[in-house]
Amino acid sequence: MFVHPTVHLENRRWEVLTAADHFGHRDTDGIVVDLFWNRRNLKDEFRVQVEDRREGTRFVLHPLTGREAIQAFYHPFAAARAALNG
């Protein structure tokens, strides 16, 4: 069963993470997507940061599983829409 990730819209500065946390990066037509995976604690924590440089907007997704994180990384707007319509 797919559990929709939580969406947090942010206008504040994003946290600085180490390179070890940075798991993936995509930059296509002004849409920048970064996947972070925090493996330091007992549970995996994922975060997908999305920036639309054309529109000047940003949002962050917090997927619950690795599978959700990969889906959100490749389809961030669909994941955000699904999370908001939850």
Side-chain angles (χ1 to χ4, degrees), residues 19-78:
D21 293 325
H22 193 237
F23 197 68
H25 175 83
R26 297 188 314 109
D27 187 345
T28 307
D29 294 328
I31 307 294
V32 180
V33 184
D34 287 291
L35 172 59
F36 296 90
W37 176 20
N38 182 353
R39 299 169 286 196
R40 282 178 250 153
N41 57 17
L42 295 176
K43 64 176 189 164
D44 291 331
E45 292 179 352
F46 303 96
R47 185 170 78 221
V48 178
Q49 296 181 173
V50 182
E51 179 180 6
D52 184 341
R53 292 182 177 161
R54 300 170 302 176
E55 301 290 327
T57 58
R58 298 177 178 180
F59 61 90
V60 177
L61 297 162
H62 295 278
L64 300 176
T65 67
R67 180 179 181 182
E68 291 176 15
I70 294 298
Q71 289 175 338
F73 178 70
Y74 286 109
H75 308 286
F77 294 100

Side-chain angles (χ1 to χ4, degrees), residues 9-28:
L9 300 176
E10 300 182 3
N11 285 327
R12 60 187 168 92
R13 194 173 180 161
W14 292 349
E15 295 176 27
V16 176
L17 297 173
T18 66
D21 293 325
H22 193 237
F23 197 68
H25 175 83
R26 297 188 314 109
D27 187 345
T28 307

